[in-house]
């Protein structure tokens, strides 16, 4: 089964094949756990989020549409939503005094033997290279599920400042990733 | 791209991060439905949000997590199978109850029909008995003895030729087999037989009453006697069995 691609695994899961789900787990567990832990911060809660995520995959595999994105994106979107729902249910709003330190969160990259490591490492480096004033609002918005208004309250910043920083941060990422893609394509051509 | 688009596009990065307030998000969604330029911008930023998902460093989960997932899956599958059986069982129960209701209704209808038949027979018999009583009250009624070729069977024919009415009263006549009936024949002076009645005794009663009918355009005065034979169910056009009872007019 290990030679099946992601889409074939999803189709088998939709038919109720347990082995296919476990195969998908073996393939993406570190990605899912990494994202869950990044959002909820606590290993025990991250484990629960991870279990819930794979159960959702088991239940909703028949609804997956390939044209809406890659399987991994679909899985990570479920993970993010599940983790943020968990934060909201527990009414855990991050505070500056809390242990949410975007710097430490992003620098906790460990050496692993994971496949496609280069891909996420490259993306991760771009996020890390953002000035902290942008990274902070992006972190609270995307990985903590806060609205711009809530971020303004948490950080004690004017709402306009939050909006501007979020917009500029996203714009910087867009440009950086675009440049990165062009560089990769150019490298491929030179090879 | 117009001035309005510029304002909306400012909100697109926050929209893909789900950081807009609900009303702002709804307004943008309405605009996106009819603006291709803004949709293109949205797709570009969606790509950025997907990269944000992929950019998080992977972490190796505890090895026990896989076994726990496998265990929960097994429990879930067992539950799903259980629910499946329960669904089948409950559906079968509903169908069974429906069939039982239909069966009970059919049974009730048959019972009603049987009761109606029985009631009609009782009414017919009552009318015959009443006719017999009325005949007995007529001064011109003749009471003629029945000669029987069967043991213990006796009876009389009450005959009123003036009013063209006749009733047979027979005691102890045994019921025939289920595929046979008794048939009464009127006998004319030439010995020709004309059917006057088909009847089956009621096994719950010791006597049988039969109202006889004279053929159209004839009266009982046109006949010399009466005979009763055993015939196949539905009767015969002429006698086929031995004469069991006879009455001489």
């Amino acid at each position: 089964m290990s030679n099946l691609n992601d889409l074939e695994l999803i189709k088998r899961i939709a038919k109720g094949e347990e082995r296919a789900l476990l195969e998908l787990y073996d393939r993406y567990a570190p990605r899912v756990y990494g994202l869950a832990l990044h959002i909820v911060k606590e290993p025990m809660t991250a484990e629960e989020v991870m279990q819930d995520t794979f159960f959702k995959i088991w239940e909703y595999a028949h609804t997956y549409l390939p044209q809406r994105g890659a399987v991994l994106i679909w899985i990570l979107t479920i993970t993010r939503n599940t983790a943020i729902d968990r934060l909201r249910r527990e009414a855990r709003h991050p505070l500056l005094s809390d242990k949410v330190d975007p710097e430490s969160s992003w620098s906790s990259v460990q050496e692993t033997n994971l496949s496609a490591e280069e891909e996420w490492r490259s993306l991760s480096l771009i996020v890390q290279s953002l000035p902290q004033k942008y990274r902070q609002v992006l972190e609270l918005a995307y990985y903590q599920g806060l609205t711009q208004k809530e971020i303004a309250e948490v950080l004690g910043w004017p709402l306009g400042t939050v909006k501007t920083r979020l917009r500029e941060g996203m714009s910087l990422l867009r440009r950086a990733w675009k440049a990165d893609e062009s560089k990769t394509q150019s490298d491929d051509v030179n090879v | 791209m117009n001035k309005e688009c510029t304002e909306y596009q400012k909100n697109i990065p926050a929209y893909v991060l789900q950081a807009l307030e609900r009303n702002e998000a709804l307004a943008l969604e309405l605009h996106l439905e009819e603006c291709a330029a803004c949709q293109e911008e949205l797709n570009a930023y969606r790509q950025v949000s997907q990269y944000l998902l992929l950019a998080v460093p992977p972490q190796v989960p505890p090895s026990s997590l896989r076994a726990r997932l496998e265990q929960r899956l097994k429990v879930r599958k067992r539950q799903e199978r259980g629910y499946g059986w329960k669904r089948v069982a409950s559906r079968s129960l509903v169908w069974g109850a429906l069939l039982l209701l239909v069966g009970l209704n059919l049974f009730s209808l048959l019972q009603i029909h049987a009761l109606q038949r029985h009631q009609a027979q009782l009414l017919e018999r009552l009318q015959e008995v009443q006719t017999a009583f009325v005949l007995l009250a007529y001064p011109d009624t003749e009471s003629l003895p029945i000669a029987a070729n069967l043991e213990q069977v006796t009876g009389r024919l009450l005959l009123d030729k003036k009013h063209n009415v006749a009733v047979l009263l027979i005691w102890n006549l045994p019921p025939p087999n289920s595929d046979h009936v008794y048939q009464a024949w009127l006998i004319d002076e030439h010995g020709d037989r004309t059917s006057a009645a088909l009847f089956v005794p009621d096994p719950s009663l010791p006597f049988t009453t039969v109202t006889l009918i004279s053929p159209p355009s004839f009266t009982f005065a046109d006949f010399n006697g009466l005979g009763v034979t055993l015939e196949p169910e539905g009767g015969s056009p002429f006698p086929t069995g031995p004469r069991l009872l006879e009455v001489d007019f």
Side-chain angles (χ1 to χ4, degrees), chain B residues 3-57:
Chain B
K3 201 174 174 183
E4 195 188 23
C5 284
T6 313
E7 287 306 306
Y8 280 118
Q9 287 192 2
K10 281 183 182 173
N11 276 341
I12 287 177
Y15 178 73
V16 298
L17 297 177
Q18 296 174 321
L20 283 184
E21 295 301 319
R22 190 73 201 126
N23 57 338
E24 292 173 314
L26 281 172
L28 178 60
E29 281 165 5
L30 281 173
H31 175 75
L32 283 166
E33 279 179 16
E34 50 195 32
C35 181
C38 288
Q39 275 175 17
E40 203 175 315
E41 190 74 357
L42 174 73
N43 289 335
Y45 274 107
R46 274 218 171 111
Q47 183 78 45
V48 178
S49 73
Q50 290 182 358
Y51 282 147
L52 279 170
L53 287 175
L54 295 168
V56 178

Side-chain angles (χ1 to χ4, degrees), chain B residues 28-245:
Chain B
L28 178 60
E29 281 165 5
L30 281 173
H31 175 75
L32 283 166
E33 279 179 16
E34 50 195 32
C35 181
C38 288
Q39 275 175 17
E40 203 175 315
E41 190 74 357
L42 174 73
N43 289 335
Y45 274 107
R46 274 218 171 111
Q47 183 78 45
V48 178
S49 73
Q50 290 182 358
Y51 282 147
L52 279 170
L53 287 175
L54 295 168
V56 178
Q59 300 277 347
V60 178
S63 56
S64 61
L65 217 55
R66 191 184 192 277
R68 270 157 53 196
L69 177 70
E70 206 171 351
Q71 187 61 33
R72 270 185 68 183
L73 263 181
K74 281 190 171 65
V75 172
R76 174 65 65 95
K77 283 201 93 172
R78 267 204 302 274
Q79 283 173 344
E80 284 171 356
R81 275 199 293 273
Y83 293 144
W85 276 111
K86 275 180 191 167
R87 266 201 304 276
V88 169
S90 65
R91 279 183 191 169
S92 304
L93 212 64
V94 170
W95 278 109
L98 278 174
L99 283 173
L100 191 69
L101 274 175
V102 170
L104 281 172
N105 274 335
L106 274 175
F107 180 71
S108 301
L109 277 174
L110 288 173
Q111 288 282 85
I112 288 167
H113 274 290
L115 279 172
Q116 283 174 337
R117 267 203 314 277
H118 188 60
Q119 194 179 23
Q121 282 169 355
L122 283 174
L123 199 64
E124 198 181 342
R125 198 175 306 134
L126 183 68
Q127 282 172 343
E128 283 170 344
V129 171
Q130 280 174 340
T131 309
F133 271 117
V134 170
L135 272 177
L136 282 173
Y138 285 161
D140 297 328
T141 297
E142 295 173 75
S143 178
L144 305 170
I146 296 172
N149 297 326
L150 296 167
E151 269 186 45
Q152 295 185 327
V153 175
T154 58
R156 299 193 82 83
L157 172 70
L158 300 175
L159 176 63
D160 184 346
K161 287 181 181 168
K162 189 178 170 187
H163 293 95
N164 199 35
V165 179
V167 176
L168 267 175
L169 278 168
I170 314 163
W171 288 85
N172 304 322
L173 187 64
N177 293 334
S178 60
D179 53 350
H180 280 77
V181 290
Y182 289 107
Q183 190 161 7
W185 306 93
L186 290 167
I187 306 163
D188 65 15
E189 58 185 344
H190 306 295
D192 292 335
R193 271 73 170 161
T194 305
S195 180
L198 291 173
F199 62 96
V200 175
D202 185 342
S204 63
L205 292 173
F207 64 89
T208 306
T209 53
V210 185
T211 304
L212 301 179
I213 300 164
S214 67
S217 68
F218 286 94
T219 66
F220 288 112
D222 298 322
F223 297 94
N224 295 336
L226 177 90
V228 173
T229 57
L230 200 57
E231 301 295 336
E233 197 178 11
S236 303
F238 50 86
T240 59
R243 189 189 296 175
L244 303 173
L245 308 171

Side-chain angles (χ1 to χ4, degrees), chain A:
Chain A
M1 196 174 276
S2 58
N3 54 356
L4 294 177
N5 65 32
D6 291 351
L7 184 56
E8 284 164 336
L9 284 178
I10 289 289
K11 284 178 182 169
R12 288 183 180 223
I13 293 167
K15 287 178 186 167
E17 278 190 40
E18 279 173 55
R19 281 176 58 218
L21 186 75
L22 293 172
E23 177 72 30
L24 201 70
Y25 178 93
D26 293 340
R27 208 171 280 185
Y28 293 125
R31 291 277 196 162
V32 171
Y33 186 66
L35 181 60
L37 191 61
H38 187 87
I39 294 171
V40 299
K41 314 293 177 198
E42 295 167 356
M44 290 262 292
T45 313
E47 288 174 24
E48 286 168 14
V49 167
M50 189 165 165
Q51 292 247 343
D52 290 347
T53 299
F54 278 95
F55 262 88
K56 284 179 182 172
I57 294 168
W58 176 253
E59 282 182 5
Y60 297 106
H62 65 283
T63 66
Y64 171 73
L65 296 171
Q67 61 267 32
R68 292 181 68 178
V71 170
L72 178 57
I73 296 295
W74 183 63
I75 294 172
L76 293 178
T77 304
I78 293 173
T79 309
R80 174 184 174 269
N81 293 342
T82 306
I84 288 174
D85 282 350
R86 183 67 184 247
L87 290 182
R88 285 183 184 149
R89 212 166 44 239
E90 294 176 359
R92 274 210 274 149
H93 291 285
L95 301 168
L96 281 183
S97 58
D98 208 348
K99 290 174 186 173
V100 184
D101 179 0
E103 197 74 39
S104 64
S105 177
W106 284 101
S107 58
S108 64
V109 179
Q110 297 164 6
E111 288 301 322
T112 62
N113 295 321
L114 298 160
S115 61
E117 184 175 327
E118 284 309 310
E119 184 201 8
W120 70 255
R121 190 174 284 280
S122 158
L123 295 171
S124 185
L125 280 172
I126 291 172
V127 176
Q128 284 180 62
S129 66
L130 272 184
Q132 195 193 342
K133 61 179 181 180
Y134 300 127
R135 197 149 23 106
Q136 202 167 17
V137 286
L138 288 177
E139 174 72 30
L140 291 171
Y142 200 54
Y143 300 113
Q144 298 299 309
L146 299 189
T147 63
Q148 294 177 120
K149 200 174 158 191
E150 288 168 331
I151 295 168
E153 284 168 13
V154 168
L155 297 176
W157 292 355
L159 180 59
T161 306
V162 172
K163 286 183 175 180
T164 307
R165 289 190 178 175
L166 193 142
R167 190 166 59 246
E168 287 176 356
M170 285 290 279
S171 181
L172 282 171
L173 282 179
R174 183 182 172 184
R175 282 203 295 276
W177 274 322
K178 205 169 181 179
D180 191 55
E181 273 176 11
S182 306
K183 182 174 167 290
T184 311
Q185 281 165 7
S186 158
D187 289 348
D188 289 346
V189 170
N190 290 335
V191 170

